[in-house]
Amino acid sequence: MSIKREDMRINLPKSEIFYYEDFLAKQEADDYFERLKNEIAWEEKEITIFGKTYKMPRLTAWYGDAEAIYTYSGVTNYPKPWNEVLLSLKERVENFVGASFNCVLLNLYRNGRDSMGWHSDDEKELGENPIIASVSFGGERRFLLKPKDKKNPTRGEILLRHGSLLVMGGETQKYWQHGIPKTAKAVAPRINLTFRYIGG
Ligand code: MD6
Ligand code: FE
């Protein structure tokens, strides 16, 4: 990671988390939101936990280089090839972060009932101490962080704004879990992209 602006760092131990609220200008972010909504092949996937099958509480999509195969929540994802809007955003993120990515997981939260459960992005495909860059569009949602160590009461919370960039690196995935809780508030649809690097 070439960005080490300590003023943008989230102050949580055993983590490297940077949050750039104004990564994209409002108009740019509006344009990306519309294009992503329309030009991504959104899917309603199912997930099986202890033999029971549920619909995922959000729409998802997976794009990337052909070799970037990834297992997530028990589902093996084969990437769709990059499209124009994704390549343009990938280049923006890579230039800013100073790292390269070969795939992206997209999530569309249709309303406040859509959510992402507690997890760490610590799958072996991502390697040790992965850098993950996350761009958000649309409705603001709370992004919560808690240590894997259940005895540790420390908590983190970031309001992920339209056009913002969140970067996680270092040992963040080793020590922390994160998630997007449901909300009873009226919230606009939200799109999130997490750029990752698999293999290598
Ligand atoms: C979301 N984000 O913002 C879900 N993971 O909708 C993530 O799960 C995430 O934002 C790793 C790094 C950054 C993230
Ligand atoms: Fe994640």
Side-chain angles (χ1 to χ4, degrees), residues 44-59:
E44 189 170 42
K45 289 251 179 186
E46 291 184 331
I47 177 176
T48 301
I49 306 168
F50 300 120
K52 218 172 166 270
T53 302
Y54 308 84
K55 280 181 177 169
M56 270 195 188
R58 59 191 180 274
L59 305 184

Side-chain angles (χ1 to χ4, degrees), residues 16-35:
E16 274 184 43
I17 308 171
F18 294 83
Y19 179 54
Y20 306 89
E21 195 170 77
D22 302 315
F23 173 60
L24 298 172
K26 166 87 167 60
Q27 184 61 56
E28 281 181 313
D30 290 352
D31 292 346
Y32 274 120
F33 179 86
E34 280 306 309
R35 292 196 63 185

